[in-house]
Amino acid sequence: WAALVHSDDIAALLRERERALNEGGPLSYAFRVSPPTGGERHLTSIIQIFRRADGSAERLVGTCVDITEQIAREQGLINLNQRFELAAQAGGIGVWDLDLETGRCFWDARMFELYGIAPNQFDGTIEGWLALLKLENPAETAREWDTVLATGVVLDAEFEIDRRGAAPRFVRGLARMIRDADGLPKRIVGINLDITERWALQRELEYMATHDALTGLPNRLSFERRLQEACDQARDEQHEHVLFFMDLDRFKIVNDSAGHAAGDAFLRLVGNLIQSGRRIGDFTARLGGDEFALVLQDCSLARAEHLARELIDSIRKIRLPWDGKVYDIGASIGVTAIAGKSPN
């Protein structure tokens, strides 16, 4: 029998047998065998020692189970996990694993790197994890997490990490429930993917789609949305707002005599003036060319007319030195109330 045992395992097997014979107790060990038919098999054996009245060993009775396929499956899982971790690391992905029985969460090294903390700064609890996030509604996030625990649904969410003074990072979290053979929840495994660059690009594209590139003010599309909201609010909630529609006087003269660069400089000056002088809640926009618009939130028509005159006076005071000359412009503003009876 011993001749069939793998040469790397025979010494440990004999030591374990000697220990059991001397110290008592059952003998249990795993080993490999190399049968004459070829190949290698993994076996596990449990042996009971029967003794005489004087305590000496009389016989060994035991079982021997072939676990080769089990070992192959476990090794395959290990290899798969290793490949997954390597792929995750290469892709900037953090991997985590929550044991539902203990409530403890394991993070790999990439998770700590992503969150900008050392291993001793994370206590391994869900509460400690949530404390590291910038959440607009912590209670709602906690309820979503409870839903994952209760139903086993896949979690897919994006959130910002609070990196304690460092540059913020944005991550996408994916998680799935793992169940045991009886279908009972066993653990939750997931990944965190760094989407900071994608998030920044998305915000930039959204900004470009809704803002004027020259002045930085909201564009016509944004204005039309805000105007519709103001009309709806006036109708449904009985609020009173005011709409300003403004275009610049003598602006074409500046463009024709000084060039479009001077005209652009004037537009930026006017845009800055309108933005800096607006009240909290007011909405300003450049519609195109030399046309601007404002929605004055909760403002009476009489108050709005006074503000319009002040804005026109401020624009008339702007002076633009350009190529040895000084240019000025004026402005005209149309004022109308946005009330409950205003048309959509």
Side-chain angles (χ1 to χ4, degrees), residues 7-23 27-29:
S7 58
D8 290 342
D9 296 345
I10 186 63
L13 187 153
L14 295 175
R15 284 197 303 270
E16 177 63 16
R17 186 185 69 170
E18 189 68 22
R19 182 203 62 77
L21 291 173
N22 293 332
E23 299 178 6
L27 176 61
S28 176
Y29 52 84

Side-chain angles (χ1 to χ4, degrees), residues 86-97:
L86 289 174
Q89 292 171 7
I93 298 173
V95 180
W96 57 271
D97 186 336

Side-chain angles (χ1 to χ4, degrees), residues 58-134:
E58 180 180 13
R59 69 176 61 221
L60 307 179
V61 179
T63 61
C64 197
V65 180
D66 189 335
I67 59 170
T68 304
E69 293 184 2
Q70 177 184 339
I71 293 294
R73 288 194 299 268
E74 292 177 352
Q75 187 60 49
L77 182 59
I78 291 173
N79 293 338
L80 179 62
N81 287 339
Q82 289 176 343
R83 290 196 298 272
F84 174 74
E85 289 183 4
L86 289 174
Q89 292 171 7
I93 298 173
V95 180
W96 57 271
D97 186 336
L98 172 65
D99 187 325
L100 295 178
E101 183 176 350
T102 64
R104 307 299 294 178
C105 192
F106 165 79
W107 282 9
D108 72 349
R110 175 58 181 158
M111 285 287 289
F112 289 103
E113 179 184 343
L114 186 60
Y115 281 72
I117 61 174
N120 61 3
Q121 294 176 299
F122 176 51
D123 62 6
T125 66
I126 293 299
E127 293 76 14
W129 189 350
L130 294 178
L132 299 174
L133 306 179
K134 280 189 173 181

Side-chain angles (χ1 to χ4, degrees), residues 18-215:
E18 189 68 22
R19 182 203 62 77
L21 291 173
N22 293 332
E23 299 178 6
L27 176 61
S28 176
Y29 52 84
F31 57 95
R32 291 167 292 171
V33 296
S34 301
T37 55
E40 180 180 280
R41 310 298 296 178
H42 291 260
L43 307 178
T44 181
S45 184
I46 301 177
I47 298 175
Q48 183 68 41
I49 303 173
F50 289 87
R51 300 181 183 274
R52 302 181 181 90
D54 62 3
S56 61
E58 180 180 13
R59 69 176 61 221
L60 307 179
V61 179
T63 61
C64 197
V65 180
D66 189 335
I67 59 170
T68 304
E69 293 184 2
Q70 177 184 339
I71 293 294
R73 288 194 299 268
E74 292 177 352
Q75 187 60 49
L77 182 59
I78 291 173
N79 293 338
L80 179 62
N81 287 339
Q82 289 176 343
R83 290 196 298 272
F84 174 74
E85 289 183 4
L86 289 174
Q89 292 171 7
I93 298 173
V95 180
W96 57 271
D97 186 336
L98 172 65
D99 187 325
L100 295 178
E101 183 176 350
T102 64
R104 307 299 294 178
C105 192
F106 165 79
W107 282 9
D108 72 349
R110 175 58 181 158
M111 285 287 289
F112 289 103
E113 179 184 343
L114 186 60
Y115 281 72
I117 61 174
N120 61 3
Q121 294 176 299
F122 176 51
D123 62 6
T125 66
I126 293 299
E127 293 76 14
W129 189 350
L130 294 178
L132 299 174
L133 306 179
K134 280 189 173 181
L135 302 173
E136 295 182 0
N137 191 334
E140 177 63 24
T141 301
R143 284 193 294 270
E144 291 176 359
W145 180 253
D146 289 340
T147 300
V148 174
L149 296 178
T151 65
V153 299
V154 176
L155 176 66
D156 186 350
E158 296 182 1
F159 42 84
E160 182 179 356
I161 298 173
D162 184 359
R163 289 170 58 91
R164 302 180 182 180
R169 309 296 293 178
F170 294 85
V171 301
R172 181 184 181 190
L174 299 170
R176 181 178 290 276
M177 179 82 73
I178 304 297
R179 299 179 182 273
D180 60 18
D182 297 324
L184 299 176
K186 184 70 174 177
R187 61 197 323 105
I188 297 178
V189 296
I191 61 173
N192 272 193
L193 172 65
D194 190 342
I195 60 169
T196 303
E197 292 185 5
R198 192 202 79 186
W199 187 91
L201 177 60
Q202 182 177 338
R203 298 288 88 75
E204 182 178 355
L205 292 175
E206 290 176 355
Y207 182 88
M208 292 172 61
T210 58
H211 286 74
D212 173 53
L214 180 63
T215 63

